[in-house]
Amino acid sequence: MAKQGAAGSGGGASRGRRARVTLHEVAQEAGTSRSTASRALGGHGYVAGHIKERVRQAADRLGYVPDVSARTLKGRSSKVIGLLVSDLRNQFYAQLAAGVEQTLSDAGYQVVLVDDHGSEERAADGARAFVAMRADGVLLAPVGRTATELLAEHGTPVVEVDRRSGVRGCDAVAIDSGSGARDAVEHLLGLGHREIAVVVDETEWATGKDRVKGYRAALRHAGVPYARRRVLDLGLRGRDSAAGGALPALLDANPGTTAVFAANNVVAELVWQELSRRGLTVPGDCSVVSFDDETWMRMVEPQLTAVRQPVFEMGSRAAALLLDRLRRGSGRAETLILQPELVVRGSTSRPAGRG
């Protein structure tokens, strides 16, 4: 942020606001030419290490802040990357953002983060803001096609993370959700469970669809009939009160349920709370497996069996893919699929009566 301080004897609107420090002033302070100062601060062209450090120290002393809009109007990189996520209350997105920020920071970029709260309209507003600030590229977990299409129309490179909108020309990084879900359900089947419910927060996107497909594939392979009444799709309402009534209704309609596969960490929390509210023990009365392995799952008793996603790596790989796209320019879109890992803990055991 630009520093502010007391102004001199100026009046009117400028009173109390420090005049913006110019690149020319930084160059004078450092004892270099303006072009050398520009190269030192912009990271383009060669500048000897000791001179670069001298220029940076001068910029810090003066409180110099680059004029991003002026730089981008000259056709140079803004060094700004947009990151659009769906819910920062969800630890998944916080870890994802950490992976993105570390990789981009190391490459000299600033990350501007927008939380769209799962709203396609807010996501579109965020995309417009990124276009307005001339962001070099955007990483996003789409909640609709609008934001991705808007960015693509303006020629802004996009990498979709976790979810894919289907908009052509976009790079993407995702998890093999189908494989992870199948591993989770096969683990329950191997323990002897047959009445297995699945709770998912959405089935519109490939992420949710693939987790339900993995669930069904595991049942089919084990010769266990699929029953639609054991599948609950919360429709991205995860924490809302509307979803709160749907989960009890699922368990009431399936009183023989001995295990639940929760398709993400938010859903797993809801399942855990509902079982506790009913006075049911885990895993004695009902085993639970989560897709996502968050900190709280290792803090409860028993600890949750979970499908661990390499979330930090996902963010880092997505950022690296975007940087590669910025270097390469146009070319065929690339999709990276990362593999999850099942971590078995105390929340799963053989169903009662099958000890």
Side-chain angles (χ1 to χ4, degrees):
M1 294 178 64
K3 296 180 180 179
Q4 294 184 348
S9 57
S14 65
R15 181 170 296 159
R17 180 174 296 179
R18 178 176 174 175
R20 189 183 188 99
V21 176
T22 66
L23 184 61
H24 178 71
E25 291 171 313
V26 173
Q28 284 187 320
E29 176 76 7
T32 68
S33 68
R34 187 182 183 283
S35 61
T36 298
S38 175
R39 292 198 304 274
L41 297 175
H44 55 91
Y46 173 76
V47 179
H50 69 284
I51 295 177
K52 184 181 294 187
E53 183 60 26
R54 196 168 77 212
V55 172
R56 287 179 176 174
Q57 289 179 1
D60 288 343
R61 285 196 300 275
L62 296 177
Y64 173 73
V65 177
D67 187 342
V68 173
S69 62
R71 182 166 62 191
T72 53
L73 284 171
K74 292 178 183 177
R76 287 158 54 190
S77 168
S78 68
K79 290 294 182 180
V80 170
I81 298 294
L83 174 60
L84 191 61
V85 300
S86 296
D87 185 0
L88 279 174
R89 297 173 301 172
N90 186 338
Q91 192 179 0
F92 174 92
Y93 292 110
Q95 291 182 48
L96 184 74
V100 167
E101 197 281 332
Q102 178 173 302
T103 298
L104 292 178
S105 177
D106 289 346
Y109 286 82
Q110 295 292 324
V111 178
V112 177
L113 176 63
V114 172
D115 185 344
D116 62 34
H117 303 285
S119 162
E120 187 168 2
E121 183 177 350
R122 288 194 183 192
D125 288 342
R128 292 186 189 96
F130 293 143
V131 170
M133 68 178 64
R134 301 175 188 269
D136 289 337
V138 174
L139 301 120
L140 76 162
V143 292
R145 294 174 59 94
T146 306
T148 304
E149 288 175 341
L150 192 154
L151 291 163
E153 286 169 4
H154 284 83
T156 303
V158 172
V159 175
E160 295 184 329
V161 192
D162 185 42
R163 307 188 200 110
R164 285 165 284 173
S165 68
V167 175
R168 295 186 64 182
C170 295
D171 297 310
V173 178
I175 292 291
D176 189 344
S177 289
S179 173
R182 182 167 178 167
D183 287 347
V185 178
E186 285 183 343
H187 168 66
L188 293 171
L189 291 164
L191 291 171
H193 293 277
R194 293 299 179 266
E195 302 286 324
I196 304 170
V198 58
V199 185
V200 62
D201 68 340
E202 56 80 23
T203 52
E204 282 188 41
W205 299 92
T207 307
K209 280 181 182 176
D210 287 350
R211 291 177 192 178
V212 174
K213 285 180 181 178
Y215 164 81
R216 296 188 67 169
L219 295 180
R220 184 169 58 251
H221 186 259
V224 176
Y226 168 77
R228 179 65 185 84
R229 60 185 171 81
R230 295 197 190 104
V231 179
L232 174 59
D233 178 3
L234 296 176
L236 289 173
R237 295 174 296 160
R239 285 189 169 95
D240 295 349
S241 58
L247 180 56
L250 172 75
L251 296 177
D252 290 342
N254 296 277
T257 298
T258 62
V260 177
F261 169 48
N264 70 20
N265 68 85
V266 174
V267 169
E269 186 176 347
L270 291 170
V271 169
W272 184 270
Q273 291 171 347
E274 178 60 21
L275 293 175
S276 177
R277 188 187 71 79
R278 290 171 176 248
L280 299 176
T281 62
V282 176
D285 295 314
C286 186
S287 289
V288 178
V289 180
S290 169
F291 203 116
D292 282 345
D293 183 20
E294 302 298 346
T295 302
W296 71 266
M297 297 177 184
R298 300 184 292 280
M299 298 174 65
V300 296
E301 182 59 41
Q303 297 182 8
L304 257 72
T305 295
V307 178
R308 177 183 294 159
Q309 302 189 72
V311 185
F312 185 93
E313 181 188 355
M314 189 190 303
S316 179
R317 296 283 292 274
L321 186 57
L322 180 57
L323 291 173
D324 186 55
R325 172 61 64 193
L326 294 176
R327 286 190 291 267
R328 289 188 293 122
S330 61
R332 186 173 181 177
E334 185 176 352
T335 296
L336 301 180
I337 304 296
L338 305 183
Q339 294 300 318
E341 173 193 9
L342 179 66
V343 181
V344 178
R345 301 194 181 101
S347 69
T348 52
S349 68
R350 296 185 66 80
R354 298 201 184 188

